[in-house]
Every structure is written in C-alpha cells, then in structure tokens.
Amino acid sequence: MKSKVYQITAQSKSFTYDSGLMGKFENFLGRFDLGKYIPEDELVPLKMHLGNNGAFKTIRPQFVKKVVDAVKKVPAKPFVTDSVRVPGYEYLEIAKDAGYTHLTLGAPVIMADGIFGNDSIKVDAGEILGETAIASAIHDAKAMVVLTHVKGHIQAVLGGAIKNISMGGISAAPRDGDWHQGRGKMHFLMGETMQWDETKCTLCFNCMNICPIGAITFPDNVYTVDKDKCWRCGRCARVCPMEAIDVPVSHELFMKAVAEGASAVLKTFEPGRVVYVNFLLEMQPECDCMPLADPPVAQDQGILISDDPVAIDTATLDILSKVSPLPDSRASDLVPKDGWDIFSLLHKKDARLQIAEAEKLGLGNSEYELEVVG
C-alpha cells in the first residue's frame, strides 16, 4: 500500500492570506488529524535543527508557531528541541537569535540531551552503530513532530527527515561513554581520527575556526586534535579548501549508519506516533550547522507532510529531480542528469542510497501517493 504525502505548493494564486503558503499551511494543519498521532496532554517534541551563527535561512519561526498552535489544539504540550550541535548554552543563544524562543513560538525551546549534551539513553542501533545514545527528551516522549529544513549535506547528501531524526536524535556522547556511542561514529566508521596531509595544507586555519568545541589546534603549525574532546562531526574536513583533511568513512557505510540511527530513534516510539514536515524553502547547499547561509540552490517548492519518513524523503528527491538550479547559487553550473536530484548532482553522491537503506530497515515505503494542496 502506498504511503500518503501531501504537498502544499509555494506559489500564491491571489493576493490573499489564504492563498499564500503561510495561510495554506495553517488551513491544512486545521484539517489534518494530529490527534491520530499525538495522545492528549502529552509533552510532544517538535524536532528541528536550530541552525548556527550565520545560518539564518532555517525554518522561519512563523511556520514553527503554526505547528505549535496545531499541537496545542490536540490538546497536547509541544516543545521545540534538538540535540546539542554546538555547546548547549551557545546553541540556545543561536536559537534565540534565529527567533526560536518561548515568546515567539508559544512553546519552550530546550536541548533534548540537556544543556551539557550528555542526557541520553543507550539503545541498540544495529550491526554498524552497535549501542547508541538517544537524547532523553526524544527517547521518553510518546509522540513527535519532525520539522525538517530540506538542504544538502556533504555526507548524507540530502538533509531530509531521515537524517534529521538520525543525526539529531542521537547525542554527541552519553554521560558514561564517548563518541563511539554518539553520532560521531556515523562519520568515523572505519577509523578514529581525521587524517591530515601536511603537503596539501596551507595553514588557513579554517578547520580550527569552524570546530564547534575548539578541539583543533596548530602547535608548531601541525594539525592537532584533542581526541577526548572531538565529537567527530567532520566539519573540519568539509571546510578545508585543499582537501588536506580526510574523514575515514565510505559513502555506503555512512548511509547505512544514518538509516540505523533513524531506526534506533524511531524504535523508542510506538508505530504511528511520528509526523514529518519537510520545508522545501530557501534550500541550502550545506547543512544548517555551517556558520553561513548561501543563495538557495533551487526555487521554493513548498511544504510536504507525511507519517512516513521514507515516503516524504523520496517525494522530496523526486521534486528536486525536476527543479532548475538558481542563478548565482552553488548549483548554478550543474548539468541535469535524468533521475538525479539537485543535491546528488551538487555533492556527486547518490542521495537515494540513504532512503533505500532506511526502507530495508522497515522505516517506511518509497512507494507513495502525492496529493497537492493549493
């Protein structure tokens, strides 16, 4: 049986609120039976990425507020959350600057794994990840709404719903463990350290400046990593203009690990308790964890809603296989390739591998029925 995916289109047909994307989204949520997924009076995480300093093209707070209001009507008690990506106190400050506050959203904004990022529960994640640590505020919830700003990602290729729950639902490290039980193991399946090629390095220090926890230094101009502090996020390798830093993991293994992480998070919920909302708006070439915002790679395509993470990400890629790259974006010079989405072309890897691995683990169905709303 095909899964249902709804698309709220971005284009307005008249000069009225109800014709615009905000109005259409609000009206859709008013008709959508959230009570089917969310038990009354429960605390419900709205899982999203809160961005970074300079990454100002995330989900606009006005849209998040519409979801908060809809959850309250169930009635239930929503809170906006993510696991720690930069130190928790700083991350809450970043969220505030982006407009994600109790005052603007009508719901608390908290760190799912605590202000120090180590409040988590270990669960079995599977063959590759082994035991991993799920952020406690997600692990303990009875239902969840996943709000995803669709964007590119250097390893996952697509930053969609599956990647959001996997890399965002898992903590960097548990209280009584290290990165081997956290999200860093997805990046470092084949080894434990970044590999530095001194002959390529120009000592630009981009890697040191982007490290979210200051684990990289250059004593005597030698790339040095504090292995105990390092989260293994891989950002240092991503920003190196000379490709002097290498993260030892294959594309195939990484995609399997992302699927395993998503499966581990979803196993903490009863079936039918998670709703997914993908925002195909201001779509960035890189993850929102980067400290900048680029011109969007493609025109806005609206909002997708489904209760199937595989179906909603498949629909996302199908839509992005038909878009034209926007001028002056990082995708502007891409040559279209039949069946390839804009992010796969941009990052030169197949985003659909992530979805195929998730489907193998039973997380959803890539066969879907798309209903266009508005």
Side-chain angles (χ1 to χ4, degrees):
M1 182 177 177
K2 293 182 178 180
S3 296
K4 193 66 171 285
V5 179
Y6 299 93
Q7 181 184 12
I8 304 170
T9 57
Q11 189 173 25
S12 303
K13 294 181 180 177
S14 67
F15 295 100
T16 64
Y17 175 78
D18 288 342
S19 175
L21 182 59
M22 186 75 68
K24 289 189 287 186
F25 186 51
E26 180 180 357
N27 292 333
F28 177 87
L29 290 174
R31 300 189 303 271
F32 189 71
D33 186 10
L34 274 175
K36 173 183 174 183
Y37 305 94
I38 298 171
E40 290 189 9
D41 298 322
E42 288 289 344
L43 274 69
V44 180
L46 307 188
K47 167 66 186 76
M48 60 180 291
H49 198 303
L50 302 173
N52 200 350
N53 284 324
F56 57 89
K57 294 180 180 177
T58 52
I59 303 172
R60 293 179 183 254
Q62 296 94 322
F63 287 105
V64 181
K65 177 67 161 55
K66 297 301 181 189
V67 181
V68 167
D69 292 344
V71 172
K72 285 184 174 181
K73 289 177 182 177
V74 168
K77 302 168 185 174
F79 61 92
V80 174
T81 195
D82 192 15
S83 59
V84 168
R85 306 297 184 100
V86 295
Y89 187 90
E90 294 175 25
Y91 203 17
L92 288 173
E93 288 292 304
I94 287 167
K96 172 184 66 69
D97 290 343
Y100 304 135
T101 71
H102 202 153
L103 282 174
T104 56
L105 304 180
V109 181
I110 70 166
M111 294 292 92
D113 48 356
I115 195 74
F116 294 104
N118 53 22
D119 294 346
S120 56
I121 293 90
K122 292 181 183 178
V123 302
D124 180 35
E127 178 183 358
I128 297 174
L129 292 181
E131 193 176 53
T132 197
I134 308 299
S136 60
I138 291 173
H139 178 281
D140 295 344
K142 297 293 190 295
M144 179 168 65
V145 180
V146 180
L147 307 180
T148 302
H149 176 221
V150 170
K151 63 269 184 184
H153 189 272
I154 184 59
Q155 285 184 293
V157 185
L158 171 69
I162 295 168
K163 186 262 182 189
N164 188 358
I165 56 177
S166 176
M167 303 193 77
I170 294 175
S171 295
R175 182 178 299 275
D176 59 345
D178 61 15
W179 66 271
H180 288 89
Q181 290 86 45
R183 77 173 70 93
K185 193 174 181 183
M186 296 182 198
H187 293 277
F188 283 76
L189 294 171
M190 296 167 61
E192 296 194 1
T193 59
M194 286 75 69
Q195 297 174 14
W196 179 57
D197 186 340
E198 183 179 4
T199 64
K200 294 181 178 179
C201 182
T202 60
L203 298 175
C204 68
F205 304 128
N206 284 353
C207 56
M208 182 173 68
N209 294 331
I210 204 167
C211 179
I213 51 173
I216 297 173
T217 55
F218 277 83
D220 298 322
N221 289 334
V222 175
Y223 173 82
T224 304
V225 179
D226 185 329
K227 297 177 183 177
D228 293 329
K229 288 176 63 177
C230 178
W231 284 351
R232 274 70 175 179
C233 68
R235 291 181 211 177
C236 56
R238 177 66 192 103
V239 302
C240 179
M242 306 307 295
E243 298 184 349
I245 304 170
D246 181 58
V247 172
V249 63
S250 73
H251 179 57
E252 292 75 15
L253 278 175
F254 181 80
M255 292 303 209
K256 289 179 181 179
V258 168
E260 277 194 5
S263 178
V265 172
L266 292 179
K267 283 176 184 175
T268 69
F269 295 91
E270 293 180 358
R273 292 298 188 192
V274 183
V275 177
Y276 306 88
V277 187
N278 278 11
F279 292 83
L280 282 72
L281 308 174
E282 297 184 288
M283 292 175 284
Q284 297 292 289
E286 302 283 353
C287 181
D288 291 332
C289 64
M290 288 296 186
L292 74 160
D294 256 20
V297 297
Q299 192 55 267
D300 291 350
Q301 300 298 311
I303 303 170
L304 301 183
I305 300 99
S306 181
D307 58 11
D308 183 332
V310 174
I312 198 170
D313 278 359
T314 302
T316 295
L317 289 181
D318 287 346
I319 290 168
L320 296 182
S321 297
K322 301 171 185 175
V323 298
S324 299
L326 284 179
D328 300 320
S329 75
R330 217 181 298 177
S332 60
D333 295 330
L334 293 179
V335 178
K337 183 178 177 182
D338 188 41
W340 277 62
D341 64 276
I342 197 165
F343 290 127
S344 294
L345 290 170
L346 183 63
H347 292 291
K348 300 177 183 178
K349 301 172 185 174
D350 187 1
R352 292 184 189 268
L353 183 55
Q354 177 190 156
I355 295 170
E357 294 296 338
E359 189 168 23
K360 285 180 188 176
L361 293 178
L363 303 192
N365 183 9
S366 60
E367 295 292 323
Y368 66 92
E369 175 188 349
L370 184 68
E371 181 176 329
V372 178
V373 180

